Amino acid sequence: MSVQERKQRERAERERLIVATARELAEQQGWDAVTTRRLAERIEYSQPVLYSHFRGKREIIGAVALEGATELATAVREATSAADGPRARVAALARAYLDFAARNPAVYDALFQLDGGLAYAQDDTPEPLKDAFAALLETLDEVAGDGVNPGLFTEVFWAALHGLATLTRAGRLLPEDAEPRVELLVDRLAIL
């Protein structure tokens, strides 16, 4: 391995460490606790080293969001691939999405609530974000209905899931009604 390859590998490892540490700190204490000073202390590098990887917290949030988008896409695809039939796939998608949001609140915030400097629904949207949407579209395309744009249908279904995830986390919805909500969403919005 050349010196340059070794330095590139070390740089990539430091970047992964920064992102993982930011994510861990955010999950434990919230995004307000994530500062370059705290990150530098936790990973035992100086703040200038952090700034050589990320210009600031906004870019770190963006990196966590991209990592989370990949994980969300994987979770949705795994859940839907194990389901039999359109209704079961849509229900599995909904459960996987809501479970991801509940298990990873800081990552979910990085993806959908905080400014990570990422473009959404644009030509320059990063591939992990496009792929997360594609994971939803793959299942919802088959149930969108005749004459309904599958992309628009997916956006509406996603918005409903996001609303459920956000309201549930805020304690605005009764936890015991989580499954009936999924069933209602699948039966009425997906019209299955």
Side-chain angles (χ1 to χ4, degrees):
M1 173 182 297
S2 73
V3 172
Q4 183 178 354
E5 289 172 330
R6 182 181 51 78
K7 286 183 178 184
Q8 287 174 339
R9 187 186 71 214
E10 288 171 354
R11 179 172 176 76
E13 287 172 8
R14 269 194 315 271
E15 192 166 301
R16 280 191 295 275
L17 178 62
I18 293 166
V19 172
T21 304
R23 182 176 174 165
E24 179 183 316
L25 187 57
E27 291 292 359
Q28 292 171 352
Q29 300 177 30
W31 279 104
D32 287 342
V34 179
T35 64
T36 54
R37 178 180 297 195
R38 277 201 178 136
L39 286 174
E41 288 171 3
R42 283 204 174 196
I43 65 171
E44 299 178 346
Y45 283 102
S46 67
Q47 284 181 296
V49 169
L50 263 72
Y51 286 117
S52 73
H53 290 275
F54 300 98
R55 285 181 281 190
K57 182 176 175 177
R58 181 178 186 221
E59 284 189 3
I60 294 169
I61 290 169
V64 169
L66 294 176
E67 189 175 90
T70 299
E71 293 170 10
L72 177 60
T74 299
V76 166
R77 286 188 176 111
E78 285 177 0
T80 57
S81 71
D84 187 29
R87 186 190 188 293
R89 280 190 289 281
V90 173
L93 178 153
R95 288 183 194 104
Y97 183 98
L98 294 171
D99 183 56
F100 179 87
R103 285 184 298 107
N104 303 285
V107 173
Y108 192 82
D109 285 349
L111 267 165
F112 302 120
Q113 304 286 82
L114 302 173
D115 179 8
L118 303 173
Y120 285 78
Q122 298 175 21
D123 290 338
D124 60 341
T125 298
E127 283 307 314
L129 298 178
K130 289 179 182 179
D131 189 51
F133 185 79
L136 302 176
L137 180 62
E138 289 162 9
T139 294
L140 296 170
D141 183 23
E142 69 181 314
V143 299
D146 294 336
V148 177
N149 179 311
L152 291 177
F153 180 78
T154 300
E155 288 175 351
V156 171
F157 198 88
W158 171 30
L161 289 173
H162 176 70
L164 288 175
T166 303
L167 291 170
T168 299
R169 188 163 138 208
R172 304 294 197 271
L173 301 175
L174 294 172
E176 61 267 20
D177 290 336
E179 186 57 27
R181 276 188 212 97
V182 168
E183 296 297 322
L184 184 61
L185 180 65
V186 171
D187 289 340
R188 297 294 184 229
L189 189 56
I191 311 174
L192 296 172

